[in-house]
Amino acid sequence: MASRNLTPTEIGERFEEAALTLKRMPNPPGSGPSGYGSSWPAYVQEAKHAYGYHEARMRVVPNAAEIQRMEEALDWLRLINHPEPGRAAIDRRIVWMRADGHRWRTVCRTVGLGRSQAWRRWSAALIQLSRALGKTRRDRSGRRANGKTWVDGSTTDQA
């Protein structure tokens, strides 16, 4: 959990960072679905491609801190809840699709809502997350934390 209250804007930025980190994760060959293909080797169309004269692609793999923040943000999705059945799943999908960079038109078509209703649900989910993450921690006896130090004297500094 975060050591300070996060605003809905900061939570949205963390989800965007998590989506980018997830895209940058290594995906070794053969780890995805095989699909349809041929057992023949790939045919080289031009001589310049046969000798490796094509552009080199560079992939930046995320570091451990980025992966940890991504996992924390993915855990936050479970905090989005609603008493109406099925609504929490739609709200989670809206939040993740926006973090993944999808346009509102695509989001609305996927979840079956209008633009304004989808935006309201997205902003309400981020506000709900902000409140859930900002709740003061309590120890086992139910005492509230006093700043960075518990009432009994133990510290909770988690930077």
Side-chain angles (χ1 to χ4, degrees), residues 53-156:
Y53 294 131
H54 55 280
E55 293 182 25
R57 292 185 295 171
M58 188 173 110
R59 183 177 194 121
V60 180
V61 179
N63 60 22
E66 291 172 338
I67 294 171
Q68 183 179 7
R69 287 193 304 268
M70 177 196 67
E71 290 173 347
E72 182 182 18
L74 290 175
D75 286 341
W76 292 349
L77 286 174
R78 287 188 278 160
L79 297 175
I80 299 173
N81 54 18
H82 198 271
E84 186 178 321
R87 180 168 171 175
I90 293 172
D91 292 350
R92 289 181 192 124
R93 175 172 261 185
I94 292 170
V95 169
W96 186 254
M97 286 183 76
R98 285 300 296 167
D100 202 23
H102 292 279
R103 297 174 52 129
W104 279 114
R105 182 179 201 142
T106 309
V107 173
C108 295
R109 190 179 311 131
T110 303
V111 298
L113 296 172
R115 160 89 170 76
S116 59
Q117 183 66 22
W119 181 84
R120 276 191 226 110
R121 285 196 181 186
W122 173 73
S123 58
L126 292 182
I127 290 170
Q128 180 184 17
L129 281 174
S130 176
R131 289 181 181 161
L133 294 172
K135 284 185 179 177
T136 56
R137 287 184 27 180
R138 295 177 183 263
D139 65 351
R140 292 182 184 169
S141 64
R143 293 179 291 191
R144 288 183 179 219
N146 181 12
K148 288 187 178 179
T149 308
W150 291 97
V151 176
D152 62 356
S154 60
T155 60
T156 61

